[in-house]
Coordinates of all heavy atoms in Angstrom, one line a residue:
S225 N 3.0 -255.5 -110.2 CA 3.2 -255.8 -108.8 C 2.6 -254.7 -107.9 O 2.2 -255.0 -106.8 CB 4.7 -256.0 -108.5 OG 5.4 -254.8 -108.6
G226 N 2.5 -253.5 -108.4 CA 1.9 -252.4 -107.6 C 0.4 -252.6 -107.4 O -0.2 -252.2 -106.4
G227 N -0.3 -253.3 -108.3 CA -1.7 -253.6 -108.2 C -2.0 -254.5 -107.1 O -3.1 -254.5 -106.5
L228 N -1.1 -255.4 -106.7 CA -1.3 -256.3 -105.6 C -1.2 -255.6 -104.3 O -1.7 -256.1 -103.3 CB -0.2 -257.4 -105.7 CG -0.3 -258.3 -106.9 CD1 0.9 -259.2 -106.9 CD2 -1.6 -259.1 -106.8
Q229 N -0.6 -254.4 -104.2 CA -0.4 -253.7 -103.0 C -1.5 -252.6 -102.8 O -1.4 -251.8 -101.9 CB 1.0 -253.0 -103.0 CG 2.1 -254.0 -103.1 CD 3.4 -253.4 -103.3 OE1 3.5 -252.2 -103.1 NE2 4.4 -254.2 -103.6
A230 N -2.5 -252.5 -103.7 CA -3.5 -251.5 -103.6 C -4.4 -251.7 -102.3 O -4.9 -252.8 -102.1 CB -4.4 -251.5 -104.8
Y231 N -4.4 -250.7 -101.5 CA -5.2 -250.7 -100.3 C -6.1 -249.5 -100.1 O -7.3 -249.6 -99.9 CB -4.3 -250.9 -99.1 CG -5.1 -250.8 -97.8 CD1 -5.8 -252.0 -97.4 CD2 -5.2 -249.7 -97.0 CE1 -6.6 -251.9 -96.2 CE2 -5.9 -249.7 -95.8 CZ -6.6 -250.8 -95.4 OH -7.3 -250.8 -94.3
A232 N -5.5 -248.3 -100.2 CA -6.2 -247.1 -99.9 C -7.4 -246.8 -100.8 O -8.5 -246.5 -100.4 CB -5.3 -245.9 -99.9
E233 N -7.2 -247.0 -102.1 CA -8.3 -246.6 -103.1 C -9.5 -247.5 -102.9 O -10.6 -247.0 -102.8 CB -7.8 -246.7 -104.5 CG -6.7 -245.6 -104.8 CD -5.3 -246.0 -104.4 OE1 -5.1 -247.1 -103.9 OE2 -4.4 -245.2 -104.6
P234 N -9.4 -248.8 -103.0 CA -10.6 -249.7 -102.8 C -11.2 -249.5 -101.4 O -12.4 -249.6 -101.3 CB -10.1 -251.1 -103.0 CG -8.8 -251.0 -103.6 CD -8.2 -249.7 -103.3
M235 N -10.4 -249.3 -100.4 CA -10.9 -249.2 -99.0 C -11.8 -247.9 -98.9 O -12.9 -247.9 -98.3 CB -9.8 -249.2 -98.0 CG -10.2 -249.2 -96.6 SD -11.1 -250.7 -96.2 CE -11.5 -250.4 -94.6
I236 N -11.2 -246.8 -99.4 CA -11.9 -245.5 -99.3 C -13.2 -245.5 -100.2 O -14.3 -245.0 -99.7 CB -11.0 -244.4 -99.7 CG1 -9.9 -244.2 -98.7 CG2 -11.8 -243.1 -99.9 CD1 -8.8 -243.2 -99.1
M237 N -13.1 -246.0 -101.4 CA -14.2 -245.9 -102.3 C -15.3 -246.9 -102.1 O -16.5 -246.6 -102.1 CB -13.7 -246.1 -103.8 CG -12.8 -245.0 -104.2 SD -11.9 -245.3 -105.7 CE -13.2 -245.0 -106.9
T238 N -15.0 -248.2 -101.8 CA -16.1 -249.2 -101.7 C -16.0 -250.1 -100.5 O -16.9 -250.9 -100.3 CB -16.0 -250.1 -102.9 OG1 -14.8 -250.8 -103.0 CG2 -16.2 -249.3 -104.2
K239 N -14.9 -250.1 -99.8 CA -14.6 -251.0 -98.6 C -14.8 -252.5 -99.1 O -15.2 -253.3 -98.3 CB -15.6 -250.7 -97.5 CG -15.3 -249.4 -96.9 CD -16.0 -249.2 -95.6 CE -15.6 -247.8 -95.1 NZ -16.4 -247.3 -94.0
G240 N -14.4 -252.7 -100.3 CA -14.4 -254.1 -100.8 C -15.7 -254.5 -101.5 O -15.8 -255.6 -102.0
G241 N -16.7 -253.7 -101.4 CA -18.0 -254.1 -101.9 C -18.3 -253.7 -103.3 O -17.4 -253.2 -103.9
P242 N -19.4 -254.0 -103.9 CA -20.5 -254.8 -103.3 C -20.2 -256.3 -103.5 O -19.7 -256.7 -104.5 CB -21.7 -254.4 -104.2 CG -21.1 -254.0 -105.5 CD -19.7 -253.4 -105.2
G243 N -20.5 -257.0 -102.5 CA -20.2 -258.4 -102.5 C -18.8 -258.9 -102.7 O -18.6 -259.8 -103.4
N244 N -17.9 -258.1 -102.2 CA -16.4 -258.4 -102.3 C -15.9 -258.3 -103.7 O -14.9 -258.8 -104.1 CB -16.1 -259.8 -101.8 CG -16.3 -259.9 -100.3 OD1 -16.2 -258.9 -99.6 ND2 -16.6 -261.1 -99.8
A245 N -16.6 -257.6 -104.6 CA -16.3 -257.4 -106.0 C -15.0 -256.6 -106.2 O -14.2 -256.9 -107.1 CB -17.4 -256.8 -106.8
S246 N -14.7 -255.7 -105.3 CA -13.5 -254.9 -105.5 C -12.5 -255.1 -104.3 O -11.7 -254.2 -104.1 CB -13.9 -253.4 -105.6 OG -14.5 -253.0 -104.4
K247 N -12.6 -256.2 -103.7 CA -11.7 -256.5 -102.6 C -10.4 -257.0 -103.1 O -10.4 -258.0 -103.9 CB -12.3 -257.6 -101.7 CG -11.5 -257.8 -100.4 CD -12.2 -258.8 -99.5 CE -12.8 -258.0 -98.4 NZ -13.4 -258.8 -97.3
T248 N -9.3 -256.4 -102.8 CA -8.0 -256.8 -103.2 C -7.4 -257.8 -102.2 O -8.0 -258.0 -101.2 CB -7.1 -255.6 -103.3 OG1 -6.9 -255.0 -102.0 CG2 -7.6 -254.5 -104.3
F249 N -6.3 -258.4 -102.6 CA -5.7 -259.4 -101.8 C -5.2 -258.7 -100.4 O -5.4 -259.4 -99.4 CB -4.5 -260.0 -102.5 CG -3.9 -261.2 -101.8 CD1 -4.7 -262.4 -101.8 CD2 -2.6 -261.2 -101.3 CE1 -4.2 -263.5 -101.2 CE2 -2.1 -262.4 -100.7 CZ -2.9 -263.5 -100.7
L250 N -4.8 -257.5 -100.5 CA -4.3 -256.8 -99.3 C -5.5 -256.5 -98.4 O -5.4 -256.7 -97.1 CB -3.6 -255.5 -99.6 CG -2.9 -254.8 -98.5 CD1 -1.9 -255.8 -97.8 CD2 -2.1 -253.6 -99.0
L251 N -6.7 -256.1 -98.9 CA -7.9 -255.9 -98.1 C -8.3 -257.2 -97.4 O -8.7 -257.3 -96.3 CB -9.0 -255.4 -99.0 CG -9.0 -253.9 -99.2 CD1 -10.1 -253.6 -100.2 CD2 -9.3 -253.1 -98.0
Y252 N -8.2 -258.3 -98.2 CA -8.5 -259.7 -97.6 C -7.6 -260.0 -96.4 O -8.0 -260.5 -95.4 CB -8.4 -260.7 -98.7 CG -8.7 -262.1 -98.2 CD1 -10.0 -262.5 -97.9 CD2 -7.7 -263.1 -98.1 CE1 -10.3 -263.7 -97.4 CE2 -8.0 -264.3 -97.7 CZ -9.3 -264.7 -97.3 OH -9.6 -265.9 -96.9
I253 N -6.3 -259.7 -96.6 CA -5.4 -259.9 -95.5 C -5.7 -259.1 -94.2 O -5.8 -259.6 -93.1 CB -3.9 -259.6 -95.9 CG1 -3.5 -260.6 -97.0 CG2 -3.0 -259.6 -94.7 CD1 -2.1 -260.3 -97.6
V254 N -6.0 -257.8 -94.4 CA -6.4 -257.0 -93.3 C -7.7 -257.5 -92.6 O -7.8 -257.5 -91.4 CB -6.5 -255.5 -93.8 CG1 -7.1 -254.6 -92.7 CG2 -5.1 -255.0 -94.2
D255 N -8.7 -257.8 -93.4 CA -9.9 -258.3 -92.9 C -9.7 -259.6 -92.1 O -10.3 -259.8 -91.1 CB -11.0 -258.5 -94.0 CG -11.6 -257.3 -94.4 OD1 -11.4 -256.2 -93.7 OD2 -12.4 -257.3 -95.4
T256 N -8.9 -260.5 -92.7 CA -8.6 -261.8 -92.0 C -8.0 -261.6 -90.6 O -8.4 -262.2 -89.7 CB -7.7 -262.6 -92.9 OG1 -8.3 -262.9 -94.1 CG2 -7.4 -264.0 -92.2
A257 N -7.1 -260.6 -90.6 CA -6.4 -260.4 -89.3 C -7.3 -259.6 -88.3 O -7.4 -260.1 -87.1 CB -5.1 -259.6 -89.6
F258 N -7.9 -258.6 -88.7 CA -8.5 -257.7 -87.7 C -10.0 -257.8 -87.6 O -10.6 -257.4 -86.6 CB -8.1 -256.2 -88.0 CG -6.6 -256.0 -88.0 CD1 -5.9 -255.7 -89.1 CD2 -5.9 -256.2 -86.8 CE1 -4.5 -255.5 -89.1 CE2 -4.5 -256.1 -86.7 CZ -3.8 -255.7 -87.9
K259 N -10.7 -258.3 -88.6 CA -12.1 -258.5 -88.6 C -12.4 -259.9 -88.1 O -13.4 -260.1 -87.3 CB -12.7 -258.3 -90.0 CG -14.2 -258.1 -90.0 CD -14.5 -257.8 -91.5 CE -16.0 -257.4 -91.6 NZ -16.3 -257.2 -93.0
F260 N -11.7 -260.9 -88.5 CA -12.0 -262.3 -88.1 C -11.0 -262.8 -87.1 O -11.1 -264.0 -86.7 CB -12.0 -263.2 -89.4 CG -12.9 -262.7 -90.4 CD1 -12.4 -262.3 -91.7 CD2 -14.3 -262.6 -90.2 CE1 -13.3 -261.9 -92.7 CE2 -15.1 -262.2 -91.1 CZ -14.7 -261.8 -92.4
N261 N -10.0 -262.0 -86.7 CA -9.0 -262.4 -85.6 C -8.3 -263.7 -86.0 O -8.0 -264.5 -85.1 CB -9.7 -262.5 -84.3 CG -10.2 -261.2 -83.8 OD1 -9.5 -260.2 -84.0 ND2 -11.3 -261.2 -83.1
R262 N -7.9 -263.9 -87.2 CA -7.1 -265.1 -87.7 C -5.8 -264.6 -88.1 O -5.4 -264.5 -89.2 CB -7.9 -265.8 -88.8 CG -9.2 -266.3 -88.4 CD -9.9 -267.1 -89.3 NE -9.1 -268.4 -89.4 CZ -9.3 -269.3 -90.4 NH1 -10.3 -269.1 -91.3 NH2 -8.6 -270.4 -90.4
Y263 N -4.9 -264.3 -87.0 CA -3.6 -263.7 -87.3 C -2.6 -264.6 -88.0 O -1.8 -264.2 -88.8 CB -3.1 -263.2 -85.9 CG -4.0 -262.2 -85.2 CD1 -4.7 -262.6 -84.1 CD2 -4.2 -261.0 -85.8 CE1 -5.5 -261.7 -83.5 CE2 -5.0 -260.1 -85.1 CZ -5.7 -260.4 -84.0 OH -6.6 -259.6 -83.4
G264 N -2.7 -265.9 -87.7 CA -1.8 -266.8 -88.3 C -2.0 -266.9 -89.8 O -1.1 -266.9 -90.6
L265 N -3.3 -267.0 -90.2 CA -3.7 -267.1 -91.6 C -3.3 -265.8 -92.3 O -2.7 -265.8 -93.4 CB -5.2 -267.3 -91.8 CG -5.7 -267.4 -93.2 CD1 -5.0 -268.5 -94.0 CD2 -7.2 -267.5 -93.2
A266 N -3.5 -264.7 -91.6 CA -3.1 -263.4 -92.2 C -1.6 -263.3 -92.4 O -1.1 -262.7 -93.4 CB -3.6 -262.2 -91.4
A267 N -0.9 -263.8 -91.4 CA 0.6 -263.8 -91.6 C 1.1 -264.6 -92.7 O 1.9 -264.2 -93.5 CB 1.2 -264.2 -90.3
S268 N 0.5 -265.8 -92.9 CA 0.9 -266.6 -94.0 C 0.4 -266.0 -95.3 O 1.2 -266.2 -96.3 CB 0.3 -268.0 -93.8 OG -1.1 -268.0 -93.9
L269 N -0.7 -265.4 -95.4 CA -1.1 -264.7 -96.6 C -0.2 -263.5 -96.9 O 0.1 -263.3 -98.1 CB -2.5 -264.1 -96.5 CG -3.6 -265.2 -96.5 CD1 -5.0 -264.5 -96.1 CD2 -3.7 -265.9 -97.8
S270 N 0.3 -262.9 -95.9 CA 1.3 -261.8 -96.1 C 2.6 -262.3 -96.7 O 3.2 -261.6 -97.6 CB 1.6 -261.0 -94.8 OG 0.4 -260.4 -94.3
V271 N 3.1 -263.4 -96.2 CA 4.3 -264.0 -96.7 C 4.1 -264.4 -98.2 O 4.9 -264.2 -99.0 CB 4.7 -265.2 -95.8 CG1 5.9 -266.0 -96.5 CG2 5.2 -264.7 -94.5
T272 N 2.9 -265.0 -98.5 CA 2.6 -265.4 -99.8 C 2.6 -264.1 -100.8 O 3.1 -264.2 -101.9 CB 1.2 -266.1 -99.9 OG1 1.2 -267.2 -99.0 CG2 0.9 -266.5 -101.3
L273 N 2.0 -263.0 -100.3 CA 2.0 -261.8 -101.1 C 3.4 -261.3 -101.3 O 3.8 -260.9 -102.4 CB 1.2 -260.7 -100.4 CG 1.1 -259.4 -101.1 CD1 0.4 -259.5 -102.4 CD2 0.4 -258.4 -100.2
F274 N 4.3 -261.4 -100.3 CA 5.6 -260.9 -100.4 C 6.4 -261.8 -101.5 O 7.1 -261.2 -102.3 CB 6.4 -261.0 -99.1 CG 7.8 -260.8 -99.2 CD1 8.3 -259.5 -99.4 CD2 8.7 -261.9 -99.1 CE1 9.7 -259.3 -99.5 CE2 10.1 -261.7 -99.2 CZ 10.6 -260.4 -99.4
I275 N 6.2 -263.1 -101.4 CA 6.9 -264.0 -102.4 C 6.4 -263.7 -103.8 O 7.2 -263.7 -104.7 CB 6.7 -265.5 -102.0 CG1 7.5 -265.7 -100.7 CG2 7.1 -266.4 -103.1 CD1 7.2 -267.1 -100.1
L276 N 5.1 -263.5 -103.9 CA 4.5 -263.2 -105.3 C 5.1 -261.9 -105.8 O 5.5 -261.9 -107.0 CB 3.0 -263.1 -105.2 CG 2.2 -263.0 -106.4 CD1 2.4 -264.2 -107.3 CD2 0.7 -262.8 -106.1
I277 N 5.1 -260.9 -105.0 CA 5.7 -259.6 -105.5 C 7.2 -259.7 -105.8 O 7.6 -259.2 -106.8 CB 5.4 -258.5 -104.4 CG1 3.9 -258.2 -104.4 CG2 6.2 -257.2 -104.7 CD1 3.5 -257.3 -103.2
L278 N 7.9 -260.5 -105.0 CA 9.3 -260.7 -105.2 C 9.5 -261.4 -106.6 O 10.4 -261.0 -107.4 CB 9.9 -261.5 -104.1 CG 11.4 -261.8 -104.1 CD1 12.2 -260.5 -104.0 CD2 11.8 -262.7 -103.1
L279 N 8.7 -262.5 -106.9 CA 8.8 -263.2 -108.1 C 8.5 -262.3 -109.3 O 9.2 -262.3 -110.3 CB 7.9 -264.4 -108.1 CG 8.3 -265.6 -107.2 CD1 7.3 -266.6 -107.2 CD2 9.7 -266.1 -107.7
I280 N 7.5 -261.5 -109.2 CA 7.1 -260.6 -110.3 C 8.2 -259.6 -110.5 O 8.6 -259.3 -111.7 CB 5.8 -259.9 -110.0 CG1 4.6 -260.9 -110.1 CG2 5.5 -258.7 -110.9 CD1 3.3 -260.3 -109.6
T281 N 8.8 -259.0 -109.5 CA 9.9 -258.1 -109.6 C 11.1 -258.7 -110.3 O 11.7 -258.1 -111.1 CB 10.3 -257.5 -108.2 OG1 9.1 -257.0 -107.6 CG2 11.4 -256.5 -108.3
I282 N 11.5 -259.9 -109.9 CA 12.6 -260.6 -110.5 C 12.4 -260.8 -112.0 O 13.3 -260.6 -112.8 CB 12.9 -261.9 -109.8 CG1 13.5 -261.7 -108.4 CG2 13.9 -262.8 -110.6 CD1 13.6 -262.9 -107.5
I283 N 11.2 -261.3 -112.3 CA 10.9 -261.5 -113.8 C 10.9 -260.2 -114.5 O 11.5 -260.1 -115.6 CB 9.5 -262.2 -113.9 CG1 9.5 -263.6 -113.4 CG2 9.0 -262.1 -115.3 CD1 8.2 -264.3 -113.2
Q284 N 10.4 -259.1 -114.0 CA 10.4 -257.8 -114.6 C 11.8 -257.3 -114.9 O 12.2 -256.8 -115.9 CB 9.7 -256.8 -113.8 CG 8.2 -256.9 -113.9 CD 7.5 -255.8 -113.1 OE1 8.0 -255.3 -112.1 NE2 6.2 -255.6 -113.4
K285 N 12.7 -257.5 -113.9 CA 14.1 -257.1 -114.0 C 14.8 -257.9 -115.1 O 15.6 -257.3 -115.8 CB 14.8 -257.1 -112.6 CG 14.4 -256.0 -111.7 CD 15.3 -256.0 -110.5 CE 14.8 -254.9 -109.6 NZ 15.8 -254.0 -109.3
R286 N 14.6 -259.2 -115.1 CA 15.2 -260.0 -116.1 C 14.8 -259.6 -117.5 O 15.6 -259.6 -118.5 CB 15.0 -261.5 -115.9 CG 15.7 -262.0 -114.7 CD 15.6 -263.5 -114.6 NE 16.4 -263.9 -113.4 CZ 16.4 -265.2 -113.0 NH1 15.7 -266.1 -113.6 NH2 17.2 -265.5 -112.0
V287 N 13.5 -259.3 -117.7 CA 13.0 -258.9 -119.0 C 13.6 -257.6 -119.4 O 14.1 -257.4 -120.6 CB 11.5 -258.9 -119.0 CG1 10.9 -258.2 -120.3 CG2 10.9 -260.2 -118.9
V288 N 13.7 -256.6 -118.5 CA 14.3 -255.3 -118.8 C 15.8 -255.4 -119.1 O 16.2 -254.8 -120.1 CB 14.0 -254.3 -117.7 CG1 14.8 -253.1 -117.9 CG2 12.5 -254.0 -117.6
L289 N 16.5 -256.2 -118.3 CA 17.9 -256.3 -118.6 C 18.2 -257.1 -119.8 O 19.2 -256.8 -120.5 CB 18.6 -257.0 -117.4 CG 18.6 -256.2 -116.1 CD1 19.3 -257.0 -115.0 CD2 19.4 -254.9 -116.3
R290 N 17.4 -258.0 -120.2 CA 17.6 -258.8 -121.5 C 17.4 -257.8 -122.7 O 18.1 -258.0 -123.7 CB 16.6 -259.9 -121.6 CG 16.9 -260.8 -122.8 CD 15.9 -261.9 -122.9 NE 15.4 -262.4 -121.7 CZ 14.2 -263.1 -121.6 NH1 13.5 -263.3 -122.7 NH2 13.8 -263.5 -120.5
G291 N 16.5 -256.9 -122.5 CA 16.3 -255.9 -123.6 C 17.4 -254.9 -123.8 O 17.6 -254.3 -124.9
E292 N 18.2 -254.7 -122.8 CA 19.3 -253.7 -122.9 C 20.6 -254.3 -123.6 O 21.4 -253.6 -124.1 CB 19.7 -253.3 -121.5 CG 18.7 -252.4 -120.8 CD 19.1 -251.9 -119.5 OE1 20.2 -252.3 -119.0 OE2 18.4 -251.2 -118.8
K293 N 20.7 -255.6 -123.7 CA 21.9 -256.2 -124.2 C 21.9 -256.2 -125.7 O 21.1 -256.1 -126.5 CB 22.1 -257.6 -123.7 CG 22.4 -257.7 -122.3 CD 22.5 -259.1 -121.8 CE 22.8 -259.1 -120.3 NZ 23.0 -260.4 -119.8

């Protein structure tokens, strides 16, 4: 789930290039909001990212807790 939140490293190193090859989902959200001025789409993408991270976290916790029993 931490890989979905990567922003600083790809932004500093490549700015998502070449040809969007290293653009992460978070970079796409930021570009959508501030480069293309599509704030509603960026907000919905952010909610989608939150739900995806939440689901991954829940699955990880269940797998870890199942291993302790």
Side-chain angles (χ1 to χ4, degrees):
S225 64
L228 295 171
Q229 301 171 10
Y231 176 77
E233 294 85 1
M235 184 65 179
I236 291 171
M237 294 171 74
T238 65
K239 294 189 179 170
N244 297 330
S246 63
K247 187 174 258 188
T248 62
F249 193 66
L250 192 55
L251 278 173
Y252 180 70
I253 292 171
V254 171
D255 280 351
T256 301
F258 301 115
K259 195 175 188 181
F260 304 119
N261 295 324
R262 299 189 67 190
Y263 302 109
L265 178 60
S268 65
L269 290 171
S270 298
V271 170
T272 303
L273 179 63
F274 172 73
I275 292 170
L276 186 62
I277 291 171
L278 184 66
L279 288 174
I280 291 171
T281 303
I282 290 170
I283 292 169
Q284 284 178 339
K285 285 189 181 239
R286 285 188 179 175
V287 167
V288 168
L289 290 177
R290 188 181 329 157
E292 290 181 358
K293 292 181 181 181

